[in-house]
Every structure is written in structure tokens, then in C-alpha cells.
């Protein structure tokens, strides 16, 4: 009888410890909400609140010419991309989050220089204290090349680490 009691107790303890109550943590949910807010503001061209979502010393590892460092530089890049595709629409297919990272699979559509453009990507954003601190983007190489062909050429001032739209002279 004692064996049956201890076996029942053991099964109850194991069952209770394996139960997934509540799903994502509050931190993971907050990170996902902030990630979505960044994407929606970017799509709308509303850059005024990016400081609420992105850390001042954040790094975007998806820059055309390497890492884009700092909130001001990241927002500047966002504005430049948005100006090239002002009718941008983002369809988020799937997002996954934990207390540190948010992974988002999305498709961006719009037109760039009068040409329709569509691009699928997986964005990975790292969060700390409720703000994005790092970002990576992974794209289909074929789609990336097509997108790059529809963008205006860039001028690079390597001495001052400045990238500008070469059409704005």
C-alpha cells in the first residue's frame, strides 16, 4: 500500500511540474508587444516614439554597410528606407518570443522607384529592460537582390562613416 501511495505521489508531482501554466512570461509578452510596435511605427513612418522602443546604444546588424550603431543612426536608416518605399505594408506571419529574443517571420510589400517589391525575412531582436538592444535580419538572397536593384545607389563617405542617397545631391 505504501508503494502505491508513493507511486501516486510521484506521478502527481511529476505531472504538476510538467504542467505549462500561463504560456509566455510577462517579459516575453512585453518584448513581443514592443517588437510589434516598432514594426507598425516603421510601416507608418512614425519615428517619434522609437526611443520608447529602442535603446539609445542599440546596434542593428542588418545595415547595408555593416552595423548601424545608436538610436539616432538606426532611426535615420529607417527613415531612408521608408522614404524609398512609403507605401510599405508588413504582414507578420509568425512571432516567437522569450525573455531575451523575439523572432518574427514577415513579408514586406510596397513599391520602390515605381516598381512593386516583395520581400520575406526573419527578424531577430534582442531585448533588455523592455527595449530592443540588437537586431539581425535574414532574407532570401534572390528577394534581397531584386530589392537592391529597385533601390537608388548609395554614396559612401568612408572617411566620415556616412552613407547617403546618391540621388539627393
Amino acid at each position: 500500500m505504501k508503494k502505491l501511495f508513493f507511486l501516486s505521489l510521484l506521478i502527481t508531482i511529476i505531472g504538476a511540474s510538467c504542467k505549462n501554466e500561463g504560456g509566455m512570461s510577462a517579459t516575453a509578452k512585453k518584448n513581443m508587444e514592443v517588437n510589434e510596435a516598432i514594426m507598425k511605427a516603421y510601416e507608418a513612418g512614425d519615428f517619434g516614439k522609437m526611443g520608447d522602443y529602442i535603446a539609445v546604444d542599440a546596434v542593428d546588424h542588418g545595415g547595408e554597410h555593416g552595423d548601424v550603431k545608436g538610436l539616432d543612426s538606426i532611426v535615420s536608416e529607417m527613415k531612408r528606407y521608408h522614404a524609398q518605399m512609403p507605401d510599405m505594408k508588413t504582414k507578420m506571419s509568425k512571432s516567437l518570443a522569450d525573455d531575451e529574443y523575439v523572432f518574427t517571420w514577415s513579408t514586406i510589400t510596397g513599391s520602390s522607384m515605381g516598381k512593386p517589391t516583395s520581400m520575406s525575412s526573419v527578424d531577430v531582436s534582442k531585448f533588455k529592460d523592455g527595449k530592443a538592444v540588437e537586431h539581425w535580419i535574414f532574407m532570401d538572397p534572390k528577394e534581397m537582390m531584386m530589392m537592391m536593384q529597385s533601390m537608388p545607389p548609395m554614396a559612401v563617405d568612408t572617411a566620415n562613416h556616412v552613407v547617403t542617397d546618391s540621388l539627393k545631391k
Side-chain angles (χ1 to χ4, degrees):
M1 192 65 143
K2 280 185 175 180
K3 287 182 183 179
L4 184 57
F5 173 75
F6 285 116
L7 181 60
S8 297
L9 181 61
L10 180 63
I11 290 172
T12 302
I13 291 170
I14 290 172
S17 67
C18 292
K19 212 183 227 186
N20 184 1
E21 293 187 19
M24 280 195 298
S25 72
T27 301
K29 288 178 186 178
K30 175 70 174 164
N31 291 346
M32 193 176 282
E33 289 169 7
V34 170
N35 189 69
E36 187 171 337
I38 292 169
M39 294 181 88
K40 294 296 178 188
Y42 183 29
E43 177 183 278
D46 181 12
F47 302 102
K49 289 192 171 191
M50 287 300 181
D52 294 345
Y53 311 130
I54 301 172
V56 173
D57 60 347
V59 178
D60 185 349
H61 301 288
E64 287 180 45
H65 302 283
D67 290 348
V68 179
K69 297 177 182 179
L71 174 63
D72 292 340
S73 296
I74 292 169
V75 169
S76 179
E77 283 288 295
M78 289 176 148
K79 287 178 179 178
R80 188 175 63 79
Y81 287 131
H82 190 270
Q84 292 172 357
M85 191 186 297
D87 62 342
M88 171 194 313
K89 297 293 177 214
T90 304
K91 177 187 172 222
M92 295 186 339
S93 300
K94 188 73 170 175
S95 290
L96 304 168
D98 65 17
D99 288 355
E100 193 173 13
Y101 291 94
V102 176
F103 300 82
T104 304
W105 172 28
S106 60
T107 302
I108 296 171
T109 57
S111 56
S112 178
M113 297 180 62
K115 296 179 183 178
T117 302
S118 178
M119 175 192 76
S120 296
S121 66
V122 173
D123 289 86
V124 179
S125 298
K126 182 177 180 178
F127 287 83
K128 183 177 179 185
D129 300 325
K131 290 189 177 189
V133 294
E134 289 188 82
H135 172 259
W136 297 263
I137 186 167
F138 303 94
M139 296 181 270
D140 180 314
K142 178 181 160 192
E143 290 178 354
M144 183 175 65
M145 293 305 293
M146 290 172 58
M147 179 185 73
M148 289 173 66
Q149 290 172 358
S150 70
M151 294 173 67
M154 302 301 297
V156 180
D157 177 353
T158 54
N160 297 311
H161 304 288
V162 176
V163 180
T164 57
D165 188 335
S166 65
L167 297 179
K168 293 181 181 178
K169 287 198 176 193

